[in-house]
Amino acid sequence: MFFKQLNQSIGHALDGIVNLIKQERNAKIHLVTTALVIYVGFNMEFTAQEWIWISLAVACVWVAELINTSIERLTNLVSPEHHPLAKQVKDYAAGAVLVMSLWAIVVFCLIAFPHLVMWLTFSN
Ligand SMILES: Nc1ncnc2c1ncn2[C@@H]1O[C@H](COP(=O)(O)OP(=O)(O)OP(=O)(O)O)[C@@H](O)[C@H]1O
């Protein structure tokens, strides 16, 4: 019984992630970016500590996008007509994704840059 309910909950959560990727252009960009970051990380041989920061940053962007999209959907349901408050709600949620994305870029640059310098130094 417990495992059946847990299985159903995980299924609904996975449905949400799959639908996000299918329906949202930004989620497709996140998916490609996530794959690229993992590829670069393996090639540059990130340490365990670096992977912790990278995975946290990547997860934060995905969580922000999932929450942003659910807020967008809920706003469309509650306020299908244009309304100044609906605009504010959507803009705040989009701002949250932007903040998380910029932080993730900073984390990636801080981690990848020293690896790149080492690689350029030793490849010459
Ligand atoms: N009901 C509304 N009332 C007022 N302004 C709205 C409303 N719906 C959308 N907007 C404005 O249009 C912008 C775009 O809204 P939309 O719902 O298309 O999200 P979006 O930016 O396309 O989301 P994403 O690109 O993440 O899919 C919002 O950020 C908001 O400024």
Side-chain angles (χ1 to χ4, degrees):
M1 182 68 178
F2 170 77
F3 283 106
K4 197 180 164 204
Q5 278 177 347
L6 183 68
N7 215 17
Q8 277 180 349
S9 301
I10 293 172
H12 294 317
L14 289 176
D15 275 352
I17 295 170
V18 170
N19 282 334
L20 180 88
I21 293 167
K22 280 185 184 164
Q23 293 170 10
E24 292 294 313
R25 188 179 49 89
N26 285 349
K28 292 187 181 79
I29 296 170
H30 292 325
L31 189 64
V32 173
T33 311
T34 302
L36 273 174
V37 166
I38 291 171
Y39 175 79
V40 170
F42 275 112
N43 271 284
M44 290 187 166
E45 297 178 349
F46 286 175
T47 64
Q49 206 182 2
E50 289 169 340
W51 276 118
I52 290 172
W53 281 106
I54 291 285
S55 57
L56 179 67
V58 167
C60 281
V61 175
W62 279 101
V63 169
E65 188 60 42
L66 281 159
I67 294 172
N68 172 47
T69 304
S70 65
I71 288 173
E72 269 177 24
R73 297 289 187 277
L74 200 57
T75 309
N76 290 344
L77 185 69
V78 174
S79 173
E81 306 298 323
H82 264 244
H83 191 286
L85 279 178
K87 177 175 167 47
Q88 281 187 26
V89 167
K90 286 190 173 188
D91 290 351
Y92 291 148
V97 177
L98 182 64
V99 169
M100 280 298 179
S101 302
L102 292 175
W103 173 67
I105 290 168
V106 170
V107 168
F108 179 76
C109 290
L110 285 175
I111 289 173
F113 191 68
H115 285 273
L116 189 66
V117 171
M118 286 265 283
W119 183 74
L120 288 173
T121 308
F122 287 107
S123 65
N124 285 327

Short mmCIF file of all heavy atoms in Angstrom, two decimals, residues 23-26 65 68-69 72-73 75-76 79-92 94 97, ligand 1:
data_model
loop_
_atom_site.label_atom_id
_atom_site.label_comp_id
_atom_site.label_asym_id
_atom_site.label_seq_id
_atom_site.Cartn_x
_atom_site.Cartn_y
_atom_site.Cartn_z
N GLN A 23 6.56 20.87 -23.16
CA GLN A 23 5.76 22.07 -23.44
C GLN A 23 6.53 23.39 -23.37
O GLN A 23 6.11 24.37 -23.98
CB GLN A 23 4.58 22.13 -22.46
CG GLN A 23 3.58 21.01 -22.68
CD GLN A 23 2.54 20.93 -21.57
OE1 GLN A 23 2.46 21.81 -20.73
NE2 GLN A 23 1.76 19.87 -21.57
N GLU A 24 7.62 23.42 -22.61
CA GLU A 24 8.31 24.70 -22.38
C GLU A 24 9.63 24.77 -23.14
O GLU A 24 10.50 23.92 -22.94
CB GLU A 24 8.57 24.90 -20.88
CG GLU A 24 7.31 25.11 -20.06
CD GLU A 24 6.58 26.39 -20.38
OE1 GLU A 24 7.23 27.45 -20.46
OE2 GLU A 24 5.36 26.32 -20.58
N ARG A 25 9.78 25.80 -23.97
CA ARG A 25 11.02 25.99 -24.73
C ARG A 25 12.22 26.14 -23.80
O ARG A 25 13.28 25.58 -24.03
CB ARG A 25 10.86 27.24 -25.61
CG ARG A 25 11.98 27.48 -26.60
CD ARG A 25 11.69 28.73 -27.43
NE ARG A 25 11.29 29.86 -26.58
CZ ARG A 25 12.14 30.73 -26.05
NH1 ARG A 25 13.42 30.64 -26.30
NH2 ARG A 25 11.72 31.72 -25.29
N ASN A 26 12.01 26.92 -22.69
CA ASN A 26 13.12 27.13 -21.74
C ASN A 26 13.60 25.83 -21.11
O ASN A 26 14.78 25.66 -20.83
CB ASN A 26 12.69 28.09 -20.61
CG ASN A 26 12.65 29.52 -21.10
OD1 ASN A 26 13.13 29.82 -22.19
ND2 ASN A 26 12.07 30.41 -20.31
N GLU A 65 12.41 26.63 -12.63
CA GLU A 65 11.61 26.55 -13.86
C GLU A 65 10.29 25.79 -13.61
O GLU A 65 9.24 26.19 -14.13
CB GLU A 65 12.44 25.87 -14.97
CG GLU A 65 11.79 25.89 -16.34
CD GLU A 65 11.52 27.30 -16.89
OE1 GLU A 65 12.37 28.17 -16.73
OE2 GLU A 65 10.41 27.49 -17.45
N ASN A 68 8.13 28.19 -11.63
CA ASN A 68 7.71 29.28 -12.52
C ASN A 68 6.58 28.82 -13.44
O ASN A 68 5.57 29.52 -13.60
CB ASN A 68 8.91 29.75 -13.35
CG ASN A 68 8.53 30.75 -14.43
OD1 ASN A 68 7.81 31.70 -14.16
ND2 ASN A 68 8.98 30.52 -15.65
N THR A 69 6.75 27.63 -14.02
CA THR A 69 5.73 27.14 -14.96
C THR A 69 4.42 26.83 -14.23
O THR A 69 3.34 27.14 -14.74
CB THR A 69 6.25 25.89 -15.70
OG1 THR A 69 7.48 26.24 -16.34
CG2 THR A 69 5.27 25.42 -16.76
N GLU A 72 2.78 30.08 -13.66
CA GLU A 72 2.20 30.58 -14.93
C GLU A 72 0.86 29.90 -15.24
O GLU A 72 -0.12 30.57 -15.59
CB GLU A 72 3.16 30.28 -16.08
CG GLU A 72 4.15 31.38 -16.37
CD GLU A 72 5.11 30.98 -17.49
OE1 GLU A 72 4.77 30.10 -18.31
OE2 GLU A 72 6.21 31.54 -17.50
N ARG A 73 0.84 28.57 -15.07
CA ARG A 73 -0.39 27.82 -15.36
C ARG A 73 -1.52 28.24 -14.42
O ARG A 73 -2.67 28.44 -14.84
CB ARG A 73 -0.16 26.30 -15.21
CG ARG A 73 0.85 25.70 -16.16
CD ARG A 73 0.30 25.67 -17.60
NE ARG A 73 1.23 24.95 -18.45
CZ ARG A 73 2.32 25.47 -19.01
NH1 ARG A 73 2.60 26.76 -18.83
NH2 ARG A 73 3.11 24.74 -19.77
N THR A 75 -1.81 31.02 -12.82
CA THR A 75 -2.22 32.41 -13.13
C THR A 75 -3.17 32.41 -14.33
O THR A 75 -4.18 33.12 -14.33
CB THR A 75 -0.98 33.29 -13.42
OG1 THR A 75 -0.07 33.14 -12.35
CG2 THR A 75 -1.36 34.75 -13.54
N ASN A 76 -2.84 31.58 -15.34
CA ASN A 76 -3.71 31.49 -16.52
C ASN A 76 -5.11 30.99 -16.15
O ASN A 76 -6.11 31.41 -16.72
CB ASN A 76 -3.10 30.56 -17.58
CG ASN A 76 -1.87 31.18 -18.22
OD1 ASN A 76 -1.64 32.38 -18.10
ND2 ASN A 76 -1.08 30.37 -18.88
N SER A 79 -6.64 33.91 -13.79
CA SER A 79 -6.82 35.20 -14.46
C SER A 79 -6.54 35.08 -15.95
O SER A 79 -5.49 35.50 -16.43
CB SER A 79 -5.88 36.23 -13.80
OG SER A 79 -5.90 37.44 -14.50
N PRO A 80 -7.47 34.46 -16.69
CA PRO A 80 -7.25 34.30 -18.14
C PRO A 80 -7.18 35.66 -18.86
O PRO A 80 -6.53 35.79 -19.87
CB PRO A 80 -8.44 33.48 -18.62
CG PRO A 80 -9.26 33.15 -17.43
CD PRO A 80 -8.75 33.93 -16.26
N GLU A 81 -7.88 36.66 -18.28
CA GLU A 81 -7.83 38.01 -18.86
C GLU A 81 -6.57 38.72 -18.38
O GLU A 81 -6.05 38.37 -17.31
CB GLU A 81 -9.05 38.84 -18.40
CG GLU A 81 -10.40 38.20 -18.67
CD GLU A 81 -10.66 37.98 -20.16
OE1 GLU A 81 -10.24 38.85 -20.95
OE2 GLU A 81 -11.25 36.95 -20.51
N HIS A 82 -6.13 39.71 -19.16
CA HIS A 82 -4.97 40.50 -18.71
C HIS A 82 -5.32 41.26 -17.44
O HIS A 82 -6.41 41.81 -17.33
CB HIS A 82 -4.52 41.46 -19.81
CG HIS A 82 -3.40 40.89 -20.62
ND1 HIS A 82 -2.15 41.44 -20.65
CD2 HIS A 82 -3.35 39.76 -21.37
CE1 HIS A 82 -1.37 40.70 -21.41
NE2 HIS A 82 -2.07 39.68 -21.87
N HIS A 83 -4.39 41.23 -16.49
CA HIS A 83 -4.59 41.93 -15.21
C HIS A 83 -3.22 42.34 -14.70
O HIS A 83 -2.27 41.57 -14.79
CB HIS A 83 -5.30 40.99 -14.21
CG HIS A 83 -5.78 41.68 -12.99
ND1 HIS A 83 -4.93 42.11 -11.99
CD2 HIS A 83 -7.04 42.04 -12.61
CE1 HIS A 83 -5.64 42.70 -11.05
NE2 HIS A 83 -6.92 42.68 -11.39
N PRO A 84 -3.10 43.57 -14.16
CA PRO A 84 -1.79 44.03 -13.68
C PRO A 84 -1.18 43.10 -12.63
O PRO A 84 0.03 42.88 -12.59
CB PRO A 84 -2.07 45.41 -13.08
CG PRO A 84 -3.44 45.78 -13.50
CD PRO A 84 -4.15 44.60 -14.03
N LEU A 85 -2.04 42.51 -11.76
CA LEU A 85 -1.50 41.61 -10.72
C LEU A 85 -1.00 40.30 -11.34
O LEU A 85 0.01 39.75 -10.90
CB LEU A 85 -2.57 41.31 -9.66
CG LEU A 85 -2.75 42.37 -8.59
CD1 LEU A 85 -3.88 41.97 -7.63
CD2 LEU A 85 -1.46 42.57 -7.80
N ALA A 86 -1.72 39.82 -12.35
CA ALA A 86 -1.28 38.59 -13.05
C ALA A 86 0.09 38.83 -13.68
O ALA A 86 0.97 37.97 -13.65
CB ALA A 86 -2.31 38.18 -14.10
N LYS A 87 0.25 40.03 -14.25
CA LYS A 87 1.55 40.38 -14.84
C LYS A 87 2.65 40.35 -13.78
O LYS A 87 3.72 39.78 -13.99
CB LYS A 87 1.46 41.76 -15.51
CG LYS A 87 2.80 42.22 -16.07
CD LYS A 87 2.69 43.52 -16.82
CE LYS A 87 4.06 44.12 -17.10
NZ LYS A 87 5.06 43.21 -17.62
N GLN A 88 2.35 40.97 -12.62
CA GLN A 88 3.37 40.99 -11.55
C GLN A 88 3.73 39.58 -11.11
O GLN A 88 4.91 39.25 -10.95
CB GLN A 88 2.84 41.78 -10.35
CG GLN A 88 2.93 43.28 -10.52
CD GLN A 88 2.55 44.02 -9.25
OE1 GLN A 88 2.67 43.51 -8.15
NE2 GLN A 88 2.07 45.24 -9.42
N VAL A 89 2.70 38.75 -10.91
CA VAL A 89 2.94 37.36 -10.44
C VAL A 89 3.85 36.64 -11.42
O VAL A 89 4.84 36.00 -11.03
CB VAL A 89 1.59 36.61 -10.28
CG1 VAL A 89 1.82 35.12 -10.11
CG2 VAL A 89 0.82 37.15 -9.10
N LYS A 90 3.54 36.73 -12.72
CA LYS A 90 4.35 36.03 -13.73
C LYS A 90 5.76 36.61 -13.82
O LYS A 90 6.73 35.89 -14.01
CB LYS A 90 3.67 36.09 -15.09
CG LYS A 90 2.47 35.17 -15.19
CD LYS A 90 1.97 35.09 -16.60
CE LYS A 90 0.90 34.04 -16.75
NZ LYS A 90 0.55 33.82 -18.14
N ASP A 91 5.85 37.94 -13.73
CA ASP A 91 7.17 38.58 -13.85
C ASP A 91 8.07 38.23 -12.65
O ASP A 91 9.27 38.00 -12.80
CB ASP A 91 7.04 40.10 -14.01
CG ASP A 91 6.46 40.48 -15.36
OD1 ASP A 91 6.32 39.59 -16.22
OD2 ASP A 91 6.14 41.67 -15.57
N TYR A 92 7.47 38.16 -11.44
CA TYR A 92 8.27 37.76 -10.26
C TYR A 92 8.79 36.34 -10.45
O TYR A 92 9.96 36.05 -10.17
CB TYR A 92 7.43 37.81 -8.97
CG TYR A 92 7.03 39.20 -8.51
CD1 TYR A 92 5.83 39.42 -7.84
CD2 TYR A 92 7.88 40.29 -8.70
CE1 TYR A 92 5.47 40.68 -7.40
CE2 TYR A 92 7.52 41.56 -8.26
CZ TYR A 92 6.31 41.75 -7.62
OH TYR A 92 5.95 43.00 -7.19
N ALA A 94 9.25 34.68 -13.21
CA ALA A 94 10.28 34.66 -14.27
C ALA A 94 11.59 35.24 -13.72
O ALA A 94 12.69 34.74 -14.04
CB ALA A 94 9.80 35.46 -15.48
N VAL A 97 13.60 32.63 -11.90
CA VAL A 97 14.35 31.74 -12.82
C VAL A 97 15.62 32.45 -13.30
O VAL A 97 16.69 31.84 -13.36
CB VAL A 97 13.48 31.32 -14.03
CG1 VAL A 97 14.29 30.46 -15.00
CG2 VAL A 97 12.25 30.58 -13.57
N1 LIG B 1 -2.97 37.45 -17.57
C1 LIG B 1 -1.97 38.33 -17.76
N2 LIG B 1 -2.13 39.61 -17.36
C2 LIG B 1 -1.13 40.53 -17.53
N3 LIG B 1 0.07 40.26 -18.08
C3 LIG B 1 0.30 39.00 -18.49
C4 LIG B 1 -0.71 37.97 -18.37
N4 LIG B 1 -0.19 36.83 -18.87
C5 LIG B 1 1.05 37.13 -19.26
N5 LIG B 1 1.36 38.41 -19.05
C6 LIG B 1 2.65 39.08 -19.35
O1 LIG B 1 3.25 38.45 -20.46
C7 LIG B 1 4.48 37.84 -20.06
C8 LIG B 1 4.61 36.50 -20.77
O2 LIG B 1 3.66 35.63 -20.21
P1 LIG B 1 3.56 34.11 -20.61
O3 LIG B 1 2.42 33.50 -19.88
O4 LIG B 1 3.56 33.97 -22.08
O5 LIG B 1 4.84 33.53 -20.00
P2 LIG B 1 6.25 33.38 -20.74
O6 LIG B 1 7.10 34.55 -20.35
O7 LIG B 1 6.03 33.03 -22.16
O8 LIG B 1 6.79 32.15 -19.97
P3 LIG B 1 7.90 31.15 -20.47
O9 LIG B 1 8.74 31.86 -21.50
O10 LIG B 1 8.62 30.83 -19.19
O11 LIG B 1 7.08 30.02 -21.01
C9 LIG B 1 4.42 37.73 -18.54
O12 LIG B 1 5.71 37.73 -17.94
C10 LIG B 1 3.62 38.96 -18.18
O13 LIG B 1 4.46 40.10 -18.17
#
